[in-house]
Amino acid sequence: QIFKGWYLIKIKIINIIIVKEKKLNPIGMFGHAAIMKNNSIIVDYPKFGNKSYTIDIEYWLEEGRDILVLRYKDMNDEFKKRLVKNMEKYFGKNYKISSNKMNTDGFYCSQYIWYIYYITAQEMGFELDLDSDGGNFVLPYDFINSPYLEIVN
């Protein structure tokens, strides 16, 4: 189920992944993904030539593209706390596309999300791979089929 953007503001949940619909242009053909840090702030790796940044959800959703809201099924307070810490630790790097998902020199949108979940699980002593197809690249739509994520209704 795809939600219209403004619905998200009403549900006020944090540490969710938001996937924007694909666009018919080279930049948007893979979709886009970002993660909420708190009730109103999104952490985003937007595009080439930009570093990551935080943005208020109202401005991020202004574009009017439909979105899908996903949540990690096994989220608990300890995971959430560590996830936010890792969001901050890996924040501020340049946008960079690499076929090595483990490369932390820079990130693209979905790789950043994948990595902070991956490294948080590692710190807690378990494996977690949100990339549903396990390829060299993790794309925004790979999250949709992940068995570890659920669609927020």
Side-chain angles (χ1 to χ4, degrees), residues 14-20 32-46 51-57 60 83-93 107-110 112-114 116-117:
I14 62 171
N15 303 120
I16 56 169
I17 299 168
I18 308 167
V19 177
K20 283 187 177 181
H32 185 63
I35 186 167
M36 290 195 74
K37 183 175 180 178
N38 59 38
N39 286 343
S40 62
I41 300 298
I42 289 180
V43 177
D44 192 13
Y45 272 83
K51 290 186 176 204
S52 60
Y53 70 101
T54 57
I55 185 170
D56 186 278
I57 189 166
W60 195 79
L83 186 70
V84 170
K85 184 177 177 185
N86 282 323
M87 287 170 72
E88 293 167 356
K89 180 177 180 180
Y90 295 99
F91 178 78
K93 302 198 178 204
F107 294 100
Y108 54 95
C109 65
S110 46
Y112 171 74
I113 295 167
W114 176 87
I116 60 171
Y117 273 86

Side-chain angles (χ1 to χ4, degrees), residues 47-76:
K47 60 185 174 182
F48 285 112
N50 291 87
K51 290 186 176 204
S52 60
Y53 70 101
T54 57
I55 185 170
D56 186 278
I57 189 166
E58 291 187 43
Y59 295 111
W60 195 79
L61 293 172
E62 225 172 36
E63 207 177 289
R65 283 160 67 184
D66 285 343
I67 62 168
L68 186 67
V69 181
L70 303 168
R71 175 177 38 213
Y72 175 50
K73 291 178 182 179
D74 296 325
M75 185 68 72
N76 60 38

Side-chain angles (χ1 to χ4, degrees), residues 124-142:
M124 294 180 68
F126 65 95
E127 296 289 323
L128 179 62
D129 185 352
L130 299 182
D131 183 5
S132 63
D133 69 6
N136 290 336
F137 297 95
V138 57
L139 301 174
Y141 276 43
D142 291 338

